Amino acid sequence: MAVLAERASPVEATDTDLAAVAVRIAEDASRAAVADKGTAAYDWWKVLFALYPNSKATHSKRPKDRTALRDAIVELLAPEGTDTAKQLPCTFCGAQTRAVWSKSNLPLFDTNKMLNTLPPGVPGWPVCRGCRVAAWALPYGAWVTAGSATVFSCESEVAERRFAERNVLRARRVMQLGFERLGVDGRPELVALRALRHARVELSASTLWSFKNDNQEPWLRVTYTRRAAPRFLALVEGNTPLRRGWRLLEIALTRRDKKGAVVSGGAAEAARLVFEVEDGRGRSFLWELHRLLTGSEHRWTPQHATCLARLAMTYAKEVLGMDPDLKPVTQLLVDWIEHGGSGGPRGRWAEYQRVALNPYELGRVLHRAQSRLFLDGREITANGEHWKPLIQRHPRAWEQRLLLSVAVVQALQERNVRVNDKPADAEEAEQVAAIEKQIDEAAILADDSLGAM
């Protein structure tokens, strides 16, 4: 609402500002309500319907007279008079008000499938004029689609302001062009991350609330960043290898159709990884880097592998507070993959990758690697104390195993150990192919379990 009123903050908004914003909202809503299907203006009506499905502007029996609709919405957002006899505290801010609203005018309230939750004889929730205008200004400052809206809350008001400003501009484009002509224009996570960068804060928690309520099946999805995310983003922006690693991540996550047109932007998908899903089912930042580095889809140069590995390690340290000493175990595994007896490095690499995230099986491979190197008279760099954090079941062990896999890839690249050469022996080639098939199947299952979309 403050952005629409061109005020620096909500507290600066005057009654005149509220009236001007209310008129703008009414003009846009009434134009959308009478627009023909398939037009850009009608796309804004879809947004309103997803938030206020039974309001005057979206009801199936709404009048087709634009002027009448506009006046009705202006009246909905008008001052409630000066009579103080029947005032009640506003549901949202506590200010005294006489106006009461039912769920049809409020976003994310019960659908028609739910009985009214108000006590008998109560006409609605008290809502003051400021909160009524703010409730209908919400889609302007939210990231909207034809069926949902995403709002942003953050400890940094500068970041919140930036998020709202970008979306107010996008809302105008939706009304003028429609969603189809906007093309692949990012995601709310990308807008939020850019807002955090703009705010230039070091620590700041933020949350994205995505919701829909269109009389069918309402839903709410909550994602959040940890407080250290802005510091991590600043490090990426100010460090060339990290910045290059982030760009490689964006390129790898870009999806194109058969004609080469972008259908999913890598910048938006990378930003999405920084936000964690409240129920824990989202794909993690470290998992994605692990998948890119260890999978067969990409062939990285040693320099690129190092940049991606540093990105993973920096994220773990700055955002997750992890700084494990992986060098001894990494060297043990790399020595074994390079020199561990008969067969080639590819087979031993495949054997490690098959068990990389399984604590028990990983322990068995580490034991086999140590035994082989000991028999060959080579230096043993890791002992049980180094293994312990990796083969236990505790909250951060899974992330440590992911980081170990990333570190092993980096070390193999730096040593120029070729794990992609085909085995010369036919029997070994068959065994390696079977292991690699198991790895691919396990990766698909892992993606499904992490809620990949």
Side-chain angles (χ1 to χ4, degrees):
M1 184 181 68
V3 172
L4 290 173
E6 299 182 353
R7 296 293 183 181
S9 66
V11 296
E12 295 182 15
T14 64
D15 289 341
T16 302
D17 293 328
L18 288 177
V21 172
V23 169
R24 175 174 175 176
I25 290 171
E27 290 284 354
D28 293 339
S30 60
R31 182 174 71 251
V34 300
D36 294 330
K37 292 185 177 180
T39 63
Y42 188 75
D43 278 1
W44 189 248
W45 181 87
K46 294 178 183 177
V47 172
L48 298 179
F49 181 73
L51 300 180
Y52 323 96
N54 300 301
S55 67
K56 295 179 182 294
T58 58
H59 200 280
S60 59
K61 296 182 180 180
R62 65 187 181 278
K64 295 301 180 181
D65 184 336
R66 181 181 173 184
T67 301
L69 272 173
R70 182 191 59 209
D71 293 345
I73 297 170
V74 168
E75 182 180 354
L76 195 68
L77 305 175
E80 61 266 24
T82 58
D83 184 5
T84 61
K86 298 181 179 180
Q87 287 189 343
L88 296 169
C90 174
T91 303
F92 303 102
C93 72
Q96 294 296 306
T97 181
R98 292 177 59 230
V100 289
W101 267 12
S102 65
K103 63 187 180 184
S104 62
N105 293 321
L106 293 167
L108 199 61
F109 272 63
D110 296 338
T111 68
N112 279 349
K113 293 184 178 182
M114 298 292 293
L115 295 175
N116 201 329
T117 54
L118 287 166
V122 177
W125 289 272
V127 188
C128 71
R129 190 193 188 192
C131 289
R132 280 184 281 129
V133 176
W136 275 70
L138 182 145
Y140 292 85
W143 175 276
V144 293
T145 70
S148 68
T150 300
V151 296
F152 178 62
S153 61
C154 183
E155 290 180 315
S156 168
E157 291 186 5
V158 174
E160 287 185 333
R161 173 80 183 202
R162 182 70 167 186
F163 186 83
E165 288 173 342
R166 295 293 296 272
N167 287 324
V168 165
L169 177 61
R170 183 173 177 270
R172 181 55 61 193
R173 290 172 178 167
V174 171
M175 295 178 207
Q176 293 176 346
L177 304 174
F179 286 111
E180 186 174 346
R181 290 182 62 187
L182 285 183
V184 182
D185 64 337
R187 291 185 56 87
E189 292 89 351
L190 181 59
V191 179
L193 248 59
R194 287 173 175 171
L196 283 171
R197 286 171 177 157
H198 173 78
R200 300 292 178 184
V201 293
E202 183 170 305
L203 298 173
S204 181
S206 57
T207 306
L208 288 173
W209 310 78
S210 301
F211 58 91
K212 181 193 79 166
N213 174 19
D214 61 358
N215 276 343
Q216 299 301 315
E217 296 296 334
W219 51 259
L220 170 67
R221 182 173 184 267
V222 182
T223 60
Y224 65 93
T225 66
R226 297 175 186 262
R227 296 193 75 241
R231 183 169 57 202
F232 168 70
L233 296 172
L235 286 172
V236 170
E237 188 175 358
N239 183 282
T240 299
L242 295 179
R243 191 165 62 247
R244 186 175 294 133
W246 186 276
R247 181 58 186 147
L248 290 169
L249 176 63
E250 291 179 338
I251 293 171
L253 293 177
T254 300
R255 296 290 177 263
R256 300 178 182 273
D257 60 20
K258 294 180 179 180
K259 296 181 180 179
V262 175
V263 296
S264 178
E269 292 302 315
R272 190 180 183 186
L273 293 173
V274 179
F275 283 82
E276 301 180 37
V277 182
E278 189 179 45
D279 60 11
R281 296 180 59 196
R283 177 180 285 157
S284 76
F285 192 87
L286 291 182
W287 165 258
E288 193 61 39
L289 288 172
H290 160 83
R291 187 186 69 82
L292 292 175
L293 279 168
T294 61
S296 59
E297 183 180 354
H298 302 280
R299 287 288 179 259
W300 305 104
T301 66
Q303 294 79 8
H304 288 169
T306 297
C307 291
L308 289 168
R310 285 190 60 178
L311 185 65
M313 298 297 181
T314 304
Y315 179 86
K317 181 179 180 180
E318 300 297 335
V319 178
L320 301 180
M322 297 172 56
D323 192 16
D325 180 15
L326 300 173
K327 290 182 180 179
V329 178
T330 299
Q331 186 174 335
L332 171 68
L333 286 168
V334 173
D335 287 344
W336 172 68
I337 292 170
E338 184 177 12
H339 304 293
S342 61
R346 179 166 184 158
R348 290 186 289 274
W349 161 253
E351 180 63 20
Y352 163 62
Q353 273 303 291
R354 185 177 66 85
V355 304
L357 301 181
N358 184 304
Y360 175 73
E361 295 294 337
L362 176 60
R364 294 183 63 183
V365 166
L366 289 172
H367 179 268
R368 186 157 63 252
Q370 178 178 270
S371 300
R372 180 73 256 183
L373 294 176
F374 177 73
L375 288 174
D376 290 346
R378 295 186 179 275
E379 180 185 2
I380 307 299
T381 58
N383 56 41
E385 288 303 311
H386 296 123
W387 299 11
K388 190 174 180 179
L390 296 161
I391 62 177
Q392 288 183 328
R393 294 184 180 274
H394 59 81
R396 284 285 175 239
W398 186 73
E399 285 87 349
Q400 289 198 40
R401 290 190 286 272
L402 286 174
L403 290 174
L404 174 64
S405 187
V406 168
V408 169
V409 172
Q410 181 182 1
L412 288 170
Q413 289 276 37
E414 291 173 352
R415 287 197 195 182
N416 198 28
V417 179
R418 299 178 62 85
V419 298
N420 56 342
D421 290 343
K422 295 291 184 181
D425 181 81
E427 183 178 350
E428 183 188 0
E430 185 177 343
Q431 293 174 350
V432 171
I435 294 174
E436 290 175 344
K437 183 179 179 181
Q438 293 178 17
I439 294 171
D440 291 339
E441 292 173 349
I444 294 172
L445 292 173
D447 279 345
D448 292 341
S449 67
L450 289 168
M453 298 180 182

